[in-house]
Amino acid sequence: MSQPTTYEQLIAQKLHELPLPDQADAIWATIEHQLNIEMPNGPTSGSGGLNNSNWWMGGTLFILLTAIIIYFFIAKENPRINKSLKDKPAVFKQEQLLPNKPDTAILILTPADGKIPEGKSSTETATPEIQEDIKNPVNEVEAISPLQNIPSGPELRTRPADTVVSRKKPRGVKGITDADYRLTPSSKDSIRPKNE
Amino acid sequence: MIKQESEIKLILEGCRANDRRAQEVLYRLLYKFAMSTAMRYSRDELDAGDILSHAFVRIFKHIHTFDENKGTIYSWVKRIIINESLDHIKARIKFADNLEIEAVAEPAINNAALDRLNASEIMTMIQKLPPATHAVFVLYAVEGYKHKEISETLGISEGTSKWHLSEARKALQQKIESLNTV
């Protein structure tokens, strides 16, 4: 009784060869859960956990991504922003690239002596150079090469810049005008001077 | 081996700092060893898993008390797992301390018959023993404890420990004989 027998040694030896269940992950999940309850103040909160600095980085990244998504959403919902960005440079280039000459409209209205002879239109009184400009204004503009680089999207061709007039929504009941609400005295006695 | 010891030292430092990753590394490093120990005292795999989870929580809570100069991490962990296993058994049954044994003849077990059984079959036979008898048999025959140590660990007398061992031997002899006759 005081010493293990040979068969007991054999049993001990065999038990070391016992196949083990593959429960490592499940048991660790239980251990981790219990540790988070009993010892929560660790430098990390789990195998894939985040420490304080990572929380800051994650938060900053989240805010940045949210801001980008909101910006694109607003830009998509409100195409006026994109349109104005596309239209403005094109108009600006066109005005800049025109030849540095006085405006033809002004010259037509104000001839050299300030008088328009009878029987002649205002254009006929302009100088020959100006008359040439008036005859072929489009050709000259088209001849400027940088204009060819302007994007030729459908928006640029069809949509005029800021020409949309907002219509005011009618208020009140149909058939009743503002005049109907105006208070007018039934008799003119109230506005009659006292001394009459 | 030297490299492994240095790695274990680093892992233990992380465990002392309550670093979950270090705790997980230590757990996975010791899993087979720990599960093998827990299985010997448990009724089934689920029971062994329960013992293991409780034991490792206890290990990480008291890791700062482990002194590397007094022993290896394996012996310290093994001790905790055995204590946890015995606590599990004690929670289920009460160890009777009024059982004494007179000098009886040792049951003869045929080693050849035992050799024909695989580890799982032997483990199943041990798990079918009464819990207290099961615990005393494993402590004595597998872990190499003396009856005095068993009596102190389980809070029973040495005579009771001997009685449980004798009961375990008789039961195992019957089971092995019955298995070989089938």
Side-chain angles (χ1 to χ4, degrees):
Chain A
M1 182 77 65
S2 61
Q3 292 294 323
T5 59
T6 51
Y7 76 86
E8 285 169 349
Q9 290 170 356
L10 189 60
I11 287 172
Q13 188 184 338
K14 287 219 171 192
L15 288 184
H16 284 103
E17 300 163 3
L18 193 68
L20 301 175
D22 187 18
Q23 298 178 353
D25 293 335
I27 294 169
W28 171 249
T30 310
I31 294 168
E32 192 177 25
H33 175 72
Q34 198 62 31
L35 287 174
N36 286 338
I37 294 168
E38 296 189 23
M39 302 166 70
N41 296 324
T44 57
S45 60
S47 55
L50 297 167
N51 57 22
N52 287 337
S53 62
N54 285 341
W55 273 113
W56 276 106
M57 286 175 66
T60 308
L61 190 66
F62 175 75
I63 290 166
L64 191 65
L65 283 173
T66 309
I68 290 167
I69 289 165
I70 290 169
Y71 172 77
F72 279 111
F73 181 76
I74 290 169
K76 191 179 178 182
E77 288 293 312
N78 192 2
R80 189 179 289 178
I81 296 168
N82 291 336
K83 195 180 83 176
S84 63
L85 288 173
K86 286 177 183 174
D87 288 346
K88 280 183 180 175
V91 172
F92 179 72
K93 279 182 184 175
Q94 193 170 357
E95 288 170 356
Q96 263 200 336
L97 293 169
L98 282 169
N100 192 13
K101 290 178 181 176
D103 191 353
T104 54
I106 295 168
L107 289 170
I108 292 162
L109 293 172
T110 56
D113 56 355
K115 294 177 181 178
I116 301 169
E118 289 181 6
K120 286 191 175 182
S121 68
S122 60
T123 52
E124 288 172 338
T125 61
T127 60
E129 290 175 355
I130 294 167
Q131 284 181 358
E132 186 65 28
D133 288 344
I134 292 165
K135 286 175 184 174
N136 301 313
V138 178
N139 293 339
E140 191 170 344
V141 171
E142 286 176 351
I144 299 166
S145 59
L147 280 176
Q148 292 171 357
N149 296 329
I150 296 170
S152 59
E155 291 182 359
L156 286 174
R157 289 180 188 165
T158 56
R159 291 186 184 179
D162 297 327
T163 55
V164 178
V165 178
S166 60
R167 287 184 63 188
K168 195 174 179 182
K169 192 178 178 183
R171 297 188 305 172
V173 181
K174 195 176 180 182
I176 299 173
T177 62
D178 289 342
D180 296 329
Y181 291 101
R182 193 174 297 154
L183 292 172
T184 55
S186 57
S187 64
K188 293 185 177 178
D189 294 345
S190 60
I191 56 171
R192 197 174 292 169
K194 287 181 180 177
N195 54 3
E196 282 185 5
Chain B
M1 187 67 182
I2 293 168
K3 189 183 174 186
Q4 195 183 359
E5 282 178 5
S6 63
E7 282 177 0
I8 289 173
K9 277 189 178 181
L10 282 173
I11 294 164
L12 289 173
E13 282 176 17
C15 292
R16 288 187 185 107
N18 197 20
D19 183 352
R20 287 283 182 279
R21 286 174 192 162
Q23 288 166 342
E24 186 178 357
V25 169
L26 183 67
Y27 161 76
R28 293 192 185 278
L29 184 73
L30 299 174
Y31 173 75
K32 285 185 179 177
F33 167 78
M35 180 52 100
S36 172
T37 306
M39 283 284 286
R40 292 175 210 151
Y41 296 90
S42 62
R43 290 170 294 179
D44 50 37
E45 292 178 357
L46 287 176
D47 197 30
D50 201 25
I51 290 168
L52 213 59
S53 61
H54 282 86
F56 268 96
V57 171
R58 194 189 279 191
I59 286 164
F60 294 133
K61 280 172 77 175
H62 298 95
I63 193 77
H64 58 279
T65 63
F66 168 64
D67 187 354
E68 294 164 55
N69 298 319
K70 289 183 180 176
T72 65
I73 186 71
Y74 288 93
S75 59
W76 188 71
V77 165
K78 186 177 183 177
R79 181 72 201 169
I80 290 174
I81 290 169
I82 290 172
N83 286 342
E84 188 63 43
S85 303
L86 297 176
D87 285 348
H88 260 66
I89 296 169
K90 284 176 189 173
R92 293 204 309 270
I93 55 115
K94 191 180 178 204
F95 281 82
D97 195 20
N98 55 356
L99 304 166
E100 293 293 331
I101 187 171
E102 299 297 325
V104 292
E106 295 292 330
I109 294 177
N110 186 357
N111 286 353
L114 188 65
D115 203 30
R116 283 194 286 272
L117 301 175
N118 62 34
S120 297
E121 288 170 327
I122 292 170
M123 192 68 239
T124 306
M125 283 194 313
I126 294 169
Q127 285 171 337
K128 284 179 181 172
L129 294 172
T133 306
H134 173 179
V136 170
F137 178 79
V138 174
L139 285 171
Y140 183 87
V142 182
E143 309 294 352
Y145 279 46
K146 306 293 179 195
H147 283 295
K148 190 173 188 300
E149 292 171 308
I150 295 169
S151 66
E152 288 169 358
T153 304
L154 296 178
I156 56 175
S157 68
E158 284 187 51
T160 304
S161 175
K162 288 176 183 174
W163 182 88
H164 281 299
L165 180 64
S166 174
E167 288 295 302
R169 284 172 172 171
K170 281 191 275 186
L172 288 174
Q173 183 191 29
Q174 289 173 0
K175 288 176 193 298
I176 290 167
E177 283 176 0
S178 65
L179 279 172
N180 280 287
T181 52
V182 172

